[in-house]
């Protein structure tokens, strides 16, 4: 069983309306067998902008990791999420996505590449979209257990 929590806050000195607070969590059982790991997770997010609640969501995710070698791993998964925007109810939506990524370890570097397909059906068609995302990443440990990373992420969104 595994649980993760992410908390992020950005505070602006002169414009509190731009202050951002993010809380994300996921929890669920994991099964490890040989070279694979499978997981089912319930997850949620909360975003506050200024002193207002901007978005809340809850969802379900299924993952599978497979290590072909100690240096090469592939992850695939699907998720569904219900998003609620209290100040803009036409944006309330159901979101579904499928994704895969691969990681290759070489010397002290870890390189990654990923792809995500996503569909969001909002209450108002103006906010419905299809999205394709891709990423390239690289990371390497430095001195004193400090890690450095580089990432390029690309998203193409088509609104209905």
């Amino acid at each position: 069983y595994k649980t993760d929590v992410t908390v992020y806050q950005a505070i602006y000195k002169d414009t509190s309306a731009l202050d951002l607070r993010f809380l994300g969590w996921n929890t669920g059982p994991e099964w490890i067998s040989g070279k694979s790991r499978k997981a089912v997770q319930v997850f949620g997010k909360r975003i506050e902008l200024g002193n207002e609640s901007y978005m809340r969501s809850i969802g379900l995710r299924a993952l599978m990791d497979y290590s072909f070698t100690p240096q090469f791993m592939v992850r695939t998964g699907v998720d569904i999420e219900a998003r609620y925007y209290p100040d803009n109810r036409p944006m309330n939506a159901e979101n579904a996505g499928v994704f895969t990524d691969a990681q290759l370890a070489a010397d002290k570097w870890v390189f990654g590449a990923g792809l995500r397909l996503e569909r969001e059906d909002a209450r108002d068609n103006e906010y419905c979209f299809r999205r394709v995302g891709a990423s390239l990443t690289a990371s390497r440990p430095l001195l004193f257990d400090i890690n450095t990373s580089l990432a390029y992420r690309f998203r193409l969104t088509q609104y209905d």
Side-chain angles (χ1 to χ4, degrees):
Y1 204 88
K2 184 176 180 181
T3 300
D4 292 315
V5 176
T6 301
V7 177
Y8 173 81
Q9 184 166 351
I11 300 172
Y12 291 84
K13 180 180 174 187
D14 296 326
T15 311
S16 64
L18 296 176
D19 290 354
L20 177 71
R21 286 175 296 288
F22 172 82
L23 170 67
W25 58 270
N26 61 60
T27 188
E30 293 186 348
W31 298 272
I32 299 173
S33 173
K35 294 181 176 187
S36 71
R37 178 181 73 99
K38 297 172 185 80
V40 176
Q41 301 172 335
V42 175
F43 67 93
K45 299 175 197 164
R46 181 178 178 95
I47 300 172
E48 294 178 359
L49 188 57
N51 294 321
E52 308 268 331
S53 176
Y54 176 73
M55 193 233 359
R56 295 189 308 260
S57 73
I58 190 155
L60 183 65
R61 178 180 297 128
L63 300 167
M64 187 178 95
D65 298 344
Y66 189 81
S67 295
F68 290 92
T69 69
Q71 294 80 24
F72 183 66
M73 182 198 81
V74 173
R75 167 177 284 180
T76 58
V78 300
D79 53 32
I80 55 172
E81 179 180 14
R83 295 179 177 173
Y84 174 67
Y85 298 85
D87 288 338
N88 194 356
R89 292 179 189 251
M91 287 179 65
N92 290 353
E94 288 78 42
N95 182 287
V98 58
F99 56 91
T100 188
D101 61 64
Q103 291 192 344
L104 175 65
D107 192 23
K108 292 185 178 186
W109 287 93
V110 176
F111 299 98
L115 179 66
R116 178 174 175 83
L117 304 174
E118 187 177 346
R119 171 75 180 150
E120 181 150 308
D121 286 318
R123 182 180 290 176
D124 185 332
N125 284 345
E126 178 182 356
Y127 300 105
C128 294
F129 64 81
R130 289 182 297 255
R131 178 177 289 155
V132 175
S135 64
L136 296 172
T137 60
S139 64
R140 177 187 167 87
L142 301 174
L143 298 174
F144 311 113
D145 292 327
I146 296 173
N147 196 39
T148 185
S149 62
L150 303 167
Y152 176 76
R153 290 178 181 28
F154 172 81
R155 293 192 314 184
L156 177 63
T157 303
Q158 180 180 0
Y159 286 88
D160 292 349

